[in-house]
PDB file of all heavy atoms in Angstrom:
ATOM      1  N   TYR A 137      69.715  32.882  -5.652  1.00  0.00           N
ATOM      2  CA  TYR A 137      70.621  31.891  -5.071  1.00  0.00           C
ATOM      3  C   TYR A 137      69.859  30.673  -4.565  1.00  0.00           C
ATOM      4  O   TYR A 137      70.322  29.530  -4.716  1.00  0.00           O
ATOM      5  CB  TYR A 137      71.421  32.513  -3.933  1.00  0.00           C
ATOM      6  CG  TYR A 137      72.470  31.586  -3.354  1.00  0.00           C
ATOM      7  CD1 TYR A 137      73.671  31.382  -4.021  1.00  0.00           C
ATOM      8  CD2 TYR A 137      72.252  30.917  -2.154  1.00  0.00           C
ATOM      9  CE1 TYR A 137      74.636  30.525  -3.517  1.00  0.00           C
ATOM     10  CE2 TYR A 137      73.205  30.055  -1.636  1.00  0.00           C
ATOM     11  CZ  TYR A 137      74.401  29.864  -2.313  1.00  0.00           C
ATOM     12  OH  TYR A 137      75.347  29.013  -1.814  1.00  0.00           O
ATOM     13  N   SER A 138      68.684  30.909  -3.999  1.00  0.00           N
ATOM     14  CA  SER A 138      67.903  29.793  -3.449  1.00  0.00           C
ATOM     15  C   SER A 138      67.291  28.931  -4.543  1.00  0.00           C
ATOM     16  O   SER A 138      66.842  27.814  -4.282  1.00  0.00           O
ATOM     17  CB  SER A 138      66.789  30.326  -2.540  1.00  0.00           C
ATOM     18  OG  SER A 138      65.874  31.120  -3.280  1.00  0.00           O
ATOM     19  N   LYS A 139      67.276  29.440  -5.779  1.00  0.00           N
ATOM     20  CA  LYS A 139      66.680  28.693  -6.889  1.00  0.00           C
ATOM     21  C   LYS A 139      67.714  27.921  -7.705  1.00  0.00           C
ATOM     22  O   LYS A 139      67.364  27.197  -8.635  1.00  0.00           O
ATOM     23  CB  LYS A 139      65.937  29.664  -7.826  1.00  0.00           C
ATOM     24  CG  LYS A 139      64.737  30.368  -7.201  1.00  0.00           C
ATOM     25  CD  LYS A 139      63.597  29.398  -6.970  1.00  0.00           C
ATOM     26  CE  LYS A 139      62.361  30.127  -6.429  1.00  0.00           C
ATOM     27  NZ  LYS A 139      61.233  29.195  -6.226  1.00  0.00           N
ATOM     28  N   LEU A 140      68.985  28.120  -7.394  1.00  0.00           N
ATOM     29  CA  LEU A 140      70.032  27.447  -8.153  1.00  0.00           C
ATOM     30  C   LEU A 140      70.004  25.946  -7.896  1.00  0.00           C
ATOM     31  O   LEU A 140      69.797  25.498  -6.775  1.00  0.00           O
ATOM     32  CB  LEU A 140      71.401  28.017  -7.780  1.00  0.00           C
ATOM     33  CG  LEU A 140      71.651  29.478  -8.154  1.00  0.00           C
ATOM     34  CD1 LEU A 140      73.021  29.923  -7.687  1.00  0.00           C
ATOM     35  CD2 LEU A 140      71.533  29.685  -9.661  1.00  0.00           C
ATOM     36  N   GLU A 141      70.212  25.198  -8.958  1.00  0.00           N
ATOM     37  CA  GLU A 141      70.212  23.738  -8.862  1.00  0.00           C
ATOM     38  C   GLU A 141      71.561  23.221  -9.327  1.00  0.00           C
ATOM     39  O   GLU A 141      71.835  23.123 -10.515  1.00  0.00           O
ATOM     40  CB  GLU A 141      69.083  23.158  -9.724  1.00  0.00           C
ATOM     41  CG  GLU A 141      67.704  23.636  -9.314  1.00  0.00           C
ATOM     42  CD  GLU A 141      66.637  23.214 -10.298  1.00  0.00           C
ATOM     43  OE1 GLU A 141      67.018  22.653 -11.351  1.00  0.00           O
ATOM     44  OE2 GLU A 141      65.455  23.438 -10.026  1.00  0.00           O
ATOM     45  N   GLY A 142      72.450  22.921  -8.402  1.00  0.00           N
ATOM     46  CA  GLY A 142      73.792  22.476  -8.778  1.00  0.00           C
ATOM     47  C   GLY A 142      74.643  23.653  -9.223  1.00  0.00           C
ATOM     48  O   GLY A 142      74.385  24.796  -8.879  1.00  0.00           O
ATOM     49  N   ASN A 143      75.637  23.373 -10.047  1.00  0.00           N
ATOM     50  CA  ASN A 143      76.543  24.426 -10.487  1.00  0.00           C
ATOM     51  C   ASN A 143      77.001  24.150 -11.917  1.00  0.00           C
ATOM     52  O   ASN A 143      78.179  24.170 -12.231  1.00  0.00           O
ATOM     53  CB  ASN A 143      77.755  24.511  -9.537  1.00  0.00           C
ATOM     54  CG  ASN A 143      78.632  25.717  -9.838  1.00  0.00           C
ATOM     55  OD1 ASN A 143      78.137  26.728 -10.327  1.00  0.00           O
ATOM     56  ND2 ASN A 143      79.917  25.592  -9.565  1.00  0.00           N
ATOM     57  N   SER A 144      76.042  23.871 -12.791  1.00  0.00           N
ATOM     58  CA  SER A 144      76.377  23.509 -14.161  1.00  0.00           C
ATOM     59  C   SER A 144      76.710  24.739 -14.987  1.00  0.00           C
ATOM     60  O   SER A 144      76.236  25.845 -14.720  1.00  0.00           O
ATOM     61  CB  SER A 144      75.219  22.751 -14.811  1.00  0.00           C
ATOM     62  OG  SER A 144      74.121  23.605 -15.034  1.00  0.00           O
ATOM     63  N   GLU A 145      77.509  24.508 -16.011  1.00  0.00           N
ATOM     64  CA  GLU A 145      77.897  25.594 -16.919  1.00  0.00           C
ATOM     65  C   GLU A 145      76.691  26.129 -17.674  1.00  0.00           C
ATOM     66  O   GLU A 145      76.557  27.347 -17.866  1.00  0.00           O
ATOM     67  CB  GLU A 145      78.949  25.080 -17.904  1.00  0.00           C
ATOM     68  CG  GLU A 145      79.378  26.107 -18.949  1.00  0.00           C
ATOM     69  CD  GLU A 145      80.353  25.520 -19.947  1.00  0.00           C
ATOM     70  OE1 GLU A 145      80.801  24.363 -19.745  1.00  0.00           O
ATOM     71  OE2 GLU A 145      80.663  26.217 -20.932  1.00  0.00           O
ATOM     72  N   TYR A 146      75.795  25.240 -18.091  1.00  0.00           N
ATOM     73  CA  TYR A 146      74.629  25.669 -18.855  1.00  0.00           C
ATOM     74  C   TYR A 146      73.665  26.484 -17.997  1.00  0.00           C
ATOM     75  O   TYR A 146      72.957  27.349 -18.499  1.00  0.00           O
ATOM     76  CB  TYR A 146      73.921  24.453 -19.460  1.00  0.00           C
ATOM     77  CG  TYR A 146      74.626  23.921 -20.677  1.00  0.00           C
ATOM     78  CD1 TYR A 146      75.321  22.714 -20.637  1.00  0.00           C
ATOM     79  CD2 TYR A 146      74.605  24.625 -21.877  1.00  0.00           C
ATOM     80  CE1 TYR A 146      75.975  22.236 -21.764  1.00  0.00           C
ATOM     81  CE2 TYR A 146      75.256  24.154 -23.005  1.00  0.00           C
ATOM     82  CZ  TYR A 146      75.943  22.957 -22.939  1.00  0.00           C
ATOM     83  OH  TYR A 146      76.597  22.488 -24.054  1.00  0.00           O
TER      84      TYR A 146
END
Side-chain angles (χ1 to χ4, degrees):
Y137 185 78
S138 63
K139 295 290 184 179
L140 294 178
E141 300 172 354
N143 188 29
S144 70
E145 177 184 353
Y146 282 108

